Amino acid sequence: LWGLNLTWFIVLGVIGAFGDMPGMTARETMLPRVALLGGGKPGALDRLVGVRESLSAVLMLIGPGVGGLLVYLLGVSSAALFITAGTSLAAAVLSFAISPRAGEIESTVVAGAEHSGGVRRLFADLVAGWRFLLGSRLVLGATIVTGVFIAVLAALQATVLPAYFSREQLPELSGFAVTGIALGSLVGAGVYTAMIGRTSRRAWFVIGIVGSMIGFVALGTLGAPWMVIVAAVLIGLTNAPMSAVLGVATIEATPDRMRGRVLGAQNALMLAAPALTSAPIAAVASGFGLTAAGIGIAVLMAVTGVIALVAPAFRGLDTIEPSNEQEG
């Protein structure tokens, strides 16, 4: 409307995230109720999460292409941004199609805050969410594993892969590597959804961990460009089912009355995770070379994978009972 500079870009980005993150948390919180309203058949929640993973992968594939097409047709102008704003408006309008029953919540009061004012009650709810997350081995383990994967993928996409392909004088392939992750995720999530009820969650989790470890080790060596792209596809292919399993496990392990607070705390960690790794990995790449950074990523993912495979918290993924952890 009045010209976009770096300051306004950051301010508007913060404003957008301020609304988007609570909205994302609310949608995740409603998933069990949506599955129940849809009939509540066995495996309904797993199928719903699998479909969501597939749609996310599809959008990762077509989003950059559509964005590039808009810039090509309309140029670098506000027209493309108005179209983007229109998609956000469409999403807001579509949200009215969700049954109000999907968002119904029980009126609960955190122990010790029965007579508290608004700010104190808000703080008590916040503490309760973090306390549950840190006290549940399954939810905490799922958060850590997912956070490490998100952090490493963010560092790869933002730093290592662009620098590697630029060094190889093939900068255009950097986008293909990211597309490879999305393509693998689409196939992996689709297979997971189709196999619900025929393959155990634990089996998918093991496949996801082992496959991702192999993919990250192959990618971390930063060998031939084709190997890096194939490794990216393998990472997406195996990580998508594992992410779906951990997402369902977190939902099922969290009592209904706590789910919004716990998922809010988890999403806060997911947002912080990339910031914790991007700078150190970039520093390693700058000081010791891209190969050292790639090997560091491979070692980090290998250690994370081995710990996840032997962790007792992930052995009962097919028989999850909501925790009895109290809110106070």
Side-chain angles (χ1 to χ4, degrees), residues 103-110 121 125 256-257 261 327:
E104 291 177 351
I105 59 173
E106 299 178 7
S107 179
T108 60
V109 178
V110 175
R121 173 73 180 276
D125 284 343
D256 288 344
R257 66 185 184 279
R261 281 169 267 176
E327 295 181 59

Side-chain angles (χ1 to χ4, degrees), residues 120-136:
R120 186 176 176 186
R121 173 73 180 276
L122 178 65
F123 180 75
D125 284 343
L126 182 64
V127 171
W130 281 98
R131 181 179 295 172
F132 181 91
L133 188 152
L134 296 174
S136 170

Side-chain angles (χ1 to χ4, degrees), residues 62-75 80:
I62 68 174
V66 172
L69 180 62
L70 287 175
V71 172
Y72 174 76
L73 294 176
L74 305 174

Side-chain angles (χ1 to χ4, degrees), residues 57 60-61 149 152-153 156-157 161 164-165 173-188 208 211-241:
M60 285 179 64
L61 280 171
F149 271 75
V152 169
L153 284 175
L156 281 172
Q157 295 178 27
L161 290 179
Y164 166 74
F165 285 113
L173 291 186
S174 179
F176 279 101
V178 177
T179 300
I181 295 175
L183 180 62
S185 298
L186 174 60
V187 175
S212 295
M213 287 170 59
I214 294 173
F216 277 109
V217 169
L219 190 150
T221 60
L222 296 177
W226 66 266
M227 180 185 296
V228 172
I229 294 177
V230 170
V233 174
L234 177 60
I235 290 170
L237 182 67
T238 54
N239 183 52

Side-chain angles (χ1 to χ4, degrees), residues 45-325:
L45 181 59
D46 296 78
R47 190 167 292 106
L48 183 59
V49 173
V51 169
R52 185 186 65 173
E53 292 286 335
S54 297
L55 288 174
S56 297
V58 169
L59 295 176
M60 285 179 64
L61 280 171
I62 68 174
V66 172
L69 180 62
L70 287 175
V71 172
Y72 174 76
L73 294 176
L74 305 174
V76 183
S77 66
S78 59
L81 295 178
F82 277 119
I83 293 175
T84 303
T87 62
S88 296
L89 177 61
V93 172
L94 284 173
S95 69
F96 286 100
I98 302 174
S99 170
R101 291 184 296 164
E104 291 177 351
I105 59 173
E106 299 178 7
S107 179
T108 60
V109 178
V110 175
E114 294 87 349
H115 307 291
S116 302
V119 175
R120 186 176 176 186
R121 173 73 180 276
L122 178 65
F123 180 75
D125 284 343
L126 182 64
V127 171
W130 281 98
R131 181 179 295 172
F132 181 91
L133 188 152
L134 296 174
S136 170
R137 291 190 301 174
L138 176 56
V139 176
L140 179 60
T143 302
I144 292 173
V145 171
T146 304
V148 171
F149 271 75
I150 289 176
V152 169
L153 284 175
L156 281 172
Q157 295 178 27
T159 304
V160 177
L161 290 179
Y164 166 74
F165 285 113
S166 294
R167 186 186 70 182
E168 298 294 316
Q169 298 183 346
L170 296 168
E172 67 277 5
L173 291 186
S174 179
F176 279 101
V178 177
T179 300
I181 295 175
L183 180 62
S185 298
L186 174 60
V187 175
V191 173
Y192 169 79
T193 303
M195 295 295 290
I196 289 173
R198 287 179 281 180
T199 305
S200 69
R201 292 178 187 169
R202 173 65 184 179
W204 279 120
F205 178 76
V206 173
I207 291 171
I209 288 291
V210 174
S212 295
M213 287 170 59
I214 294 173
F216 277 109
V217 169
L219 190 150
T221 60
L222 296 177
W226 66 266
M227 180 185 296
V228 172
I229 294 177
V230 170
V233 174
L234 177 60
I235 290 170
L237 182 67
T238 54
N239 183 52
M242 185 193 69
S243 296
V245 167
L246 293 180
V248 173
T250 298
I251 290 172
E252 289 187 348
T254 308
D256 288 344
R257 66 185 184 279
M258 294 287 293
R259 190 167 294 117
R261 281 169 267 176
V262 173
L263 290 178
Q266 190 179 61
N267 286 333
L269 288 176
M270 295 303 105
L271 281 175
L276 297 177
T277 58
S278 295
I281 290 176
V284 171
S286 176
F288 301 96
L290 284 176
T291 302
I295 293 175
I297 288 174
V299 171
L300 173 61
M301 295 311 303
V303 171
T304 301
V306 170
I307 292 175
L309 287 175
V310 301
F314 296 125
R315 292 177 183 171
L317 291 170
D318 295 282
T319 56
I320 298 174
E321 294 292 336
S323 173
N324 293 320
E325 178 86 7

